[in-house]
Structure formats: C-alpha cells, structure tokens
Amino acid sequence: MNVMGISGTPRKKGNSEILLRYALKPFKNNGWNIKIFLLSELTIKPCNACESCRETGTCNINDDMQSIYDAFRWCNAIIISSPVYYLNVSSQLLSVLDKHYAVKFDKPLEGKVGGAIAVGSGTSGGQTITINAIHTWMLSCGIICVPGELNGVKAVADKPGDILNQENWLKQAEILGFNILKVAKLLQK
Ligand SMILES: Cc1cc2nc3c(=O)[nH]c(=O)nc-3n(C[C@H](O)[C@H](O)[C@H](O)COP(=O)(O)O)c2cc1C
C-alpha cells in the first residue's frame, strides 16, 4: 500500500513538513511505501489556463508536477500540510491543487482517503479555513476526507521547527495519520 504526502511550505524544515512527517509515522510502522513531496524543494509553476490539458490530459508546463501526477495514480492515501498564509493555503500548494485540473477526467484520486494539516502562528489564525480549502479540494477530487482527533490538524507555531516544542500538535498529526491508515485498511477489505 502506498501513501503520498505534500508539504506546502516554501521553508526548508518548516513546521508543515515536520507535522507531515509525524502524520506519516503510522504508515511507516505498518510497512507502507511512502513518497513525500516538499514544495520547498520542487518547482511547481501556477496554472496559466492555457487549457491544452483538455486535449492532452496532462500539463504542458515544464516543472516538477509530473512526479506528483504519477503519485496521484500510485497512492492509496494522501496527506497534505500547509502553512496558513492570509487565512488560506500557501501559493506553492495552491499551484499543485489547481494543476489537478489536467488529470481531473482520469480521476486518479477517486475513492482514496486523505487528511489535512494546517499550521499558522496565530491561535484561530485561519487554520480552519485552510483545512477547509484542502478538504474542499480533496472532495472535488473524490477523496474521502478523514479527521484527526478533531477534524484536520490545526496547529499553532511560528518559526521553522517551533512545532517540535509542542508535543500535543505532533501527537495530533500522528493521530490523523493513524485514522487515515485505519480507514484505508477498512476500504481495502
Ligand atoms: C505570507 C505569510 C502569511 C501568513 N499569514 C498567516 C495567517 O493568516 N495566519 C496565521 O496564523 N499565520 C500566518 N503566517 C504565519 C505562518 O503560517 C507560520 O509562521 C507557520 O508556522 C509557517 O509554517 P511553516 O513553518 O511550515 O512554513 C503567515 C506567514 C507568511 C510568510
């Protein structure tokens, strides 16, 4: 079984990346294959609405999106984390989400399971809206959204790595991963 994770922060070793890695721990412990996409390392250019994908079924922009399309097809489960930027996902992540458009008729993620993580510096800093944005995209792709202990993970941290001092949020990310794993296993039966 395969799981993919996308970390939406442009910062290396950002809090989103750390939380994603914690959410993937239960999959590692269960022997799943894991692919992690760090948007701090990849170049994903935004959709330019050329609509050529309608003819070709893929995006003709030369960037790292092809490996993410492959992973959409490959995975059984998907976890997405994002920093909160102006009460929404990062623009780096939004480019990835928009570019699902090229493969939407193939429905590569339909019937798979997923979950979301958002981290912002403020308490009630827009984490709920960010989770909703990711969940709405997931539902549009036919993904079954799985909650953590309470909906998605809505973590609070500021500087890169600050989240490591907050055991509670690390635990919450792991619970989200565990729940996604549980539902994926149930669907497999
Ligand atoms: C452009 C920008 C916009 C931000 N907007 C918000 C916001 O609306 N709400 C919030 O709580 N934090 C906001 N933040 C703070 C980040 O969400 C916070 O530092 C978070 O920990 C970053 O996650 P990362 O370490 O994964 O990059 C913003 C930061 C930046 C750079």
Side-chain angles (χ1 to χ4, degrees):
M1 299 278 277
N2 305 326
V3 59
M4 69 181 287
I6 303 174
S7 161
T9 179
R11 299 202 290 195
K12 287 197 191 308
K13 297 201 176 7
N15 298 305
S16 312
E17 177 185 336
I18 293 165
L19 287 164
L20 176 65
R21 291 188 188 281
Y22 270 79
L24 290 168
K25 275 188 180 188
F27 294 89
K28 193 173 177 200
N29 296 341
N30 276 264
W32 280 45
N33 303 306
I34 300 172
K35 280 189 185 161
I36 301 179
F37 295 90
L38 303 178
L39 301 189
S40 55
E41 292 179 355
L42 301 177
T43 301
I44 310 289
K45 297 178 189 159
C47 172
N48 59 14
C50 71
E51 301 273 357
S52 66
C53 60
R54 297 234 174 178
E55 310 289 323
T56 63
T58 194
C59 180
N60 73 359
I61 297 173
N62 186 16
D63 63 10
D64 293 317
M65 193 63 204
Q66 294 305 329
S67 57
I68 297 184
Y69 288 136
D70 290 344
F72 283 166
R73 295 182 195 97
W74 167 87
C75 75
N76 302 97
I78 177 168
I79 305 178
I80 297 179
S81 67
S82 181
V84 180
Y85 282 180
Y86 285 94
L87 300 101
N88 215 320
V89 297
S90 67
S91 53
Q92 288 79 8
L93 178 60
L94 190 56
S95 289
V96 172
L97 305 187
D98 282 347
K99 285 166 79 161
H100 176 271
Y101 189 76
V103 294
K104 70 174 184 171
F105 295 114
D106 294 345
K107 301 186 187 298
L109 292 167
E110 192 174 41
K112 299 178 178 181
V113 285
I117 298 168
V119 54
S121 55
T123 314
S124 303
Q127 290 89 338
T128 302
I129 301 169
T130 305
I131 294 286
N132 285 349
I134 299 171
H135 279 171
T136 299
W137 176 85
M138 286 183 166
L139 291 168
S140 303
C141 301
I143 294 170
I144 300 157
C145 295
V146 178
E149 192 167 69
L150 280 173
N151 205 327
V153 177
K154 301 165 190 165
V156 183
D158 191 6
K159 301 281 174 284
D162 274 1
I163 202 73
L164 287 167
N165 301 319
Q166 301 194 63
E167 192 60 38
N168 174 48
W169 292 120
L170 303 176
K171 187 79 203 149
Q172 291 295 318
E174 233 177 305
I175 291 171
L176 174 71
F178 182 78
N179 288 354
I180 296 169
L181 178 74
K182 202 164 62 178
V183 177
K185 279 183 177 171
L186 281 171
L187 284 174
Q188 191 67 15
K189 279 188 186 166

